[in-house]
Every structure is written in C-alpha cells, then in structure tokens.
C-alpha cells in the first residue's frame, strides 16, 4: 500500500477525539446533509472523513463512554468499507485534470437521490472540494438546496474561500484543529524510526529532532507532508535546507543567480511555494521583537535552519525582504489561478532583487528593525489565504 493510500485510511492519534466529538454531536442532532471540513494539505482530512463515513454506515456501531457511536469494524458494512466496495459510499476526486467537472457532480446527484442499497444512509466525500470548477459548483448547489434525508456529503477543503459562497452557506463547517507541536513531532519521528527512511547513522540520529521540528513548521503542521519530505530518498538534506542554502548563497554573492534559480526550479512548484512562504514568514519573525513571536516559532532555536534564517534576516534590508514576500504572494496567486507563470524567471528575478537588497557589509548582523508588525501580520494573513 502506498504512502498516499495509508494517509487516506490511517486516523491520526489527535483526530480520535475530533471523530468522537462529531459522532456524538450527530447522534444527538442527526447526521448533517452536508459537512465542510477545512484543513491544510496532508493534515489527515480524508482519513477522518472515511472514519466518519464508517460511523454513519456501520450496522452495529459501538457506544463510546462519551455517548458517541463509532463503527464496530467487523460487520458487513465495515468490511465493505475497508475493501473500498461499499455501494452506499463514494469518493469524488479530480480524474484526468486538476478539477472536479460537472459530469462528475451529475453522477453524484444520481448517487444522492437513489435509495441506499444496504445501509440506512449514503455518504459521499468530495476531495478536494476546492477543485470544483464553476459549472460543477453550481451543479452541486442544486443538490445541496434539496438534499435527500438519507445522504451526507462531506466536502474536504484546503481553502474554503475557493468554494462558492452559496455552497459554503449550505454546509455545516468544521475547521480541523492544529495538533500540538510536540505530539506531531513525536508522531513523525516515530514513523521515521519504524519505516523506510529511518536514521541509519549517529549523525542522522542527532540531526533528526532538529529536522522534524523545522519541517513540521515549514509544512504548516501537516504531518503527512512533513513525513514525505523527510523520507525523500537519495537526499542528504531535506528540500527546506537546500532552499535556505541557495537563498543565502545567492544573497551573499557566493552562488550564481542563474544556477541558483535553475536548482530551485527542480523542486516541485507547490512544495517550493509552500516552503518559500514559510522562509519569508520566519525571516519576518526574526526581524520582529520577541513579543511578536508565537510559542511555536521558538522551535526554530532547535533547528538547523536557524543559521540561514538569521543570515537572511540580518543581511537583507527590510524593504527587500518584504518585496520578495509580496512578489511570492503575487506569483502564488497566478499559479493558483492556472495562469502557468514561469518558475525559473520568477526565481531569477527574486534572487536578483534579494542580492541588490543586501545591506552594506558594515551593517550586516545588525537588527533589521524596520519591519512593522502591522505589515507583518497583513502579509501572514495573505499567505495563509494563499496556502493550498
């Protein structure tokens, strides 16, 4: 079974309480016709949704101490769910493109309006609902306006603002909470230690806690993406460290800008944009006073990334760092809208501006101090809206 298949089925430890709370709510209030679950990519949304679907379809659900009903895992319904062959359950995802098309929603409508075959209700998951194109969104709206009494649609979203407002308003909304940083780091470290990619040398074992902490923050508390990055085969350093090394080397004139841009362009574009957003947010954090730094950011002091981040924070004029951040946000917007902007040209322009924005040697190492907290918070808000 692939890592992606495991991630789609394995309920993360900190989601057990979430599942229980939602199951208890619906036992008391009845299952919703539509639920919108929002969370970052790789946060375990699909696995949680599948377990909720099992709770809804199970023939003999077990009563938990808190009153929640949860799937028994042994009845015919549960066995069919585990075998991906339950006739009253379906997962809708992009097929041959990055979008969910109107024909798929028409099939979903037919699924929703036919009676359950072997269970008391039907469950459909849209993953990700963000991928609905305009026509598909409008078609789904018709289903949501007149939902069947025995069907539940679970929409999974990385950014609910991408959905039509009329679709959002017809769903119960639930934001997947961030796990505790310590619990997430321990889980990732445990997965690394027990699976492929486990540390094999003393130096790796010493570095592992630092890398886990850095990558957890870089991937916005996404356990599966953090694990995937740390398990990358054939790499002595995670991608984050490579990006930081390239940025600092180009800013200090130790690496050719064209070569640096070409090297960074080899990183998958969505991963590159996510990590660059984190890099600039971290630089801003270091340029601000301690009062503006959250407790989670103090994990940076354990990270091998800190040296490069400190170099960028102290070597760059505040205006250059802010300009690079805003340029990244604009590029991200173009990419999300499907305009296919040139990644190498963007990287070359960014690296050139950064080198031009390097502080005079006499001032390097001094506190930047010119970044205003209000600007920083505004930039972070924009980046969170653009994260996918």
């Amino acid at each position: 079974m692939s890592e992606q298949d495991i991630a789609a089925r394995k309920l993360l430890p900190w989601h057990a309480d979430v599942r229980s709370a939602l199951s208890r709510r619906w036992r008391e209030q009845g299952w919703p016709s539509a639920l919108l679950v929002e969370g970052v990519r790789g946060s375990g949304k699909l696995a949680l949704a599948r377990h909720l679907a099992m709770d809804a379809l199970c023939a003999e659900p077990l009563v938990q101490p808190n009153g929640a009903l949860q799937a028994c895992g042994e009845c015919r319904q549960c066995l069919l769910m585990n075998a991906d062959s339950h006739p009253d359950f379906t997962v809708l995802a992009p097929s041959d493109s990055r979008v969910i098309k109107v024909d798929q929603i028409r099939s979903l409508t037919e699924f929703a309006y036919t009676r359950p075959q072997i269970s008391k209700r039907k469950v459909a998951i849209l993953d990700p609902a963000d991928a609905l194109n305009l026509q598909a969104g409008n078609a789904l709206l018709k289903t949501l306006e007149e939902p069947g009494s025995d069907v539940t649609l679970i929409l999974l979203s990385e950014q609910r603002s991408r959905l039509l407002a009329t679709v959002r308003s017809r769903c119960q909304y639930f934001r997947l909470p961030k796990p505790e940083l310590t619990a997430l780091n321990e889980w990732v470290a445990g997965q690394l230690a027990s699976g492929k990619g486990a540390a094999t040398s003393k130096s790796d074992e010493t570095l592992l806690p630092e890398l886990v902490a850095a990558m957890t923050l870089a991937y916005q508390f996404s356990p599966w993406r953090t694990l995937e990055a740390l398990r990358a085969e054939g790499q002595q350093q995670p991608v984050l460290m490579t990006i930081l090394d390239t940025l600092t080397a180009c800013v200090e004139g130790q690496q050719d800008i064209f070569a640096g841009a070409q090297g960074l362009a080899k990183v998958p574009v969505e991963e590159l944009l996510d990590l660059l957003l984190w890099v600039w947010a971290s630089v801003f954090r270091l340029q601000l006073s301690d009062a503006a730094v959250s407790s989670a950011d103090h994990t940076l002091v354990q990270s091998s990334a800190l040296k490069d981040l400190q170099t960028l924070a102290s070597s760059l004029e505040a205006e250059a760092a802010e300009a690079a951040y805003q340029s990244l946000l604009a590029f991200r917007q173009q990419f999300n809208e499907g305009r296919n902007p040139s990644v190498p040209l963007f990287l070359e322009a960014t690296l050139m501006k950064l080198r031009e924005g390097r502080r005079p040697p006499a001032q390097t190492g001094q506190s930047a101090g010119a970044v205003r907290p209000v600007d920083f918070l505004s930039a972070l808000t924009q980046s969170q809206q653009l994260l996918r």
Side-chain angles (χ1 to χ4, degrees):
M1 186 179 292
S2 69
E3 193 79 86
Q4 187 173 4
D5 290 334
I6 295 173
R9 290 167 170 77
K10 186 173 183 178
L11 188 70
L12 293 167
W14 48 86
H15 287 167
D17 289 342
V18 174
R19 173 193 183 187
S20 182
L22 290 174
S23 296
R24 183 178 69 251
R25 180 198 304 179
W26 295 330
R27 182 191 184 189
E28 298 168 351
Q29 303 176 5
W31 284 85
S33 58
L35 171 70
L36 173 59
V37 179
E38 184 180 33
V40 299
R41 179 159 32 109
S43 58
K45 298 187 299 296
L46 180 55
L48 174 62
R50 289 179 64 93
H51 279 79
L52 291 173
M54 286 185 67
D55 294 342
L57 299 175
C58 179
E60 301 175 6
L62 305 176
V63 180
Q64 303 301 305
N66 65 354
L69 290 179
Q70 292 191 3
C72 67
E74 298 178 354
C75 69
R76 182 191 178 201
Q77 317 284 11
C78 290
L79 295 177
L80 288 172
M81 281 289 294
N82 287 328
D84 290 331
S85 57
H86 199 299
D88 296 323
F89 172 74
T90 187
V91 177
L92 202 64
S95 53
D96 56 353
S97 67
R98 295 179 60 182
V99 300
I100 295 176
K101 299 179 179 178
V102 66
D103 289 344
Q104 293 176 274
I105 297 301
R106 288 172 181 154
S107 298
L108 175 65
T109 301
E110 183 178 348
F111 170 86
Y113 285 112
T114 55
R115 293 183 61 82
Q117 295 185 36
I118 61 175
S119 294
K120 294 182 179 179
R121 61 186 309 103
K122 309 180 82 169
V123 180
I125 298 174
L126 279 71
D127 179 39
D130 305 3
L132 290 163
N133 63 20
L134 181 59
Q135 293 80 7
N138 285 323
L140 177 64
L141 181 60
K142 296 178 181 178
T143 303
L144 294 175
E145 287 175 339
E146 298 178 2
S149 60
D150 53 8
V151 64
T152 293
L153 305 182
I154 303 179
L155 284 65
L156 305 181
S157 172
E158 294 168 14
Q159 188 178 326
R160 61 172 174 159
S161 60
R162 290 174 172 273
L163 299 174
L164 293 173
T166 46
V167 169
R168 299 197 304 267
S169 66
R170 285 165 174 76
C171 301
Q172 282 190 20
Y173 172 69
F174 181 79
R175 172 71 188 182
L176 205 59
K178 282 184 179 179
E180 291 292 331
L181 190 60
T182 300
L184 194 155
N185 287 346
E186 289 177 353
W187 181 86
V188 172
Q191 295 297 309
L192 288 171
S194 62
K196 67 172 185 176
T200 56
S201 69
K202 265 193 169 181
S203 61
D204 288 338
E205 292 173 359
T206 301
L207 189 60
L208 184 59
E210 299 177 354
L211 296 184
V212 171
M215 299 303 281
T216 294
L217 290 169
Y219 283 104
Q220 304 290 313
F221 291 74
S222 170
W224 288 108
R225 297 188 65 209
T226 300
L227 186 61
E228 181 183 13
L230 288 167
R231 276 183 170 171
E233 295 179 358
Q235 288 185 289
Q236 297 301 315
Q237 290 182 309
V239 178
L240 171 64
M241 304 307 174
T242 301
I243 291 174
L244 283 168
D245 288 345
T246 301
L247 287 175
T248 53
C250 286
V251 167
E252 296 182 335
Q254 298 172 356
Q255 182 174 2
D256 177 73
I257 286 177
F258 177 78
Q262 292 299 313
L264 292 180
K266 295 177 182 178
V267 179
V269 61
E270 291 192 6
E271 180 179 15
L272 175 66
L273 297 180
D274 281 352
L275 291 176
L276 284 175
L277 280 171
W278 178 80
V279 166
W280 292 121
S282 299
V283 167
F284 287 150
R285 290 182 177 104
L286 291 174
Q287 291 179 334
L288 288 172
S289 65
D290 291 340
V293 181
S294 71
S295 58
D297 298 325
H298 289 303
T299 307
L300 282 174
V301 301
Q302 306 171 5
S303 169
S304 299
L306 181 60
K307 182 178 178 180
D308 284 337
L309 290 171
Q310 287 176 326
T311 298
L312 290 172
S314 62
S315 298
L316 290 171
E317 295 285 359
E319 292 78 6
E322 185 174 354
Y325 198 100
Q326 296 299 334
S327 176
L328 175 60
L329 295 179
F331 182 89
R332 180 90 190 215
Q333 186 68 51
Q334 293 176 27
F335 175 78
N336 287 348
E337 292 173 354
R339 292 190 239 169
N340 296 319
S342 171
V343 176
L345 289 179
F346 158 71
L347 291 170
E348 287 179 39
T350 297
L351 293 175
M352 181 65 72
K353 290 177 181 177
L354 290 176
R355 181 171 294 181
E356 293 172 351
R358 186 171 184 241
R359 308 179 82 189
Q363 299 179 23
T364 299
Q366 298 178 14
S367 174
V371 179
R372 296 174 298 279
V374 63
D375 294 340
F376 168 73
L377 294 175
S378 174
L380 278 187
T381 299
Q382 291 182 61
S383 70
Q384 290 298 326
Q385 291 173 348
L386 291 173
L387 283 172
R388 296 189 52 183

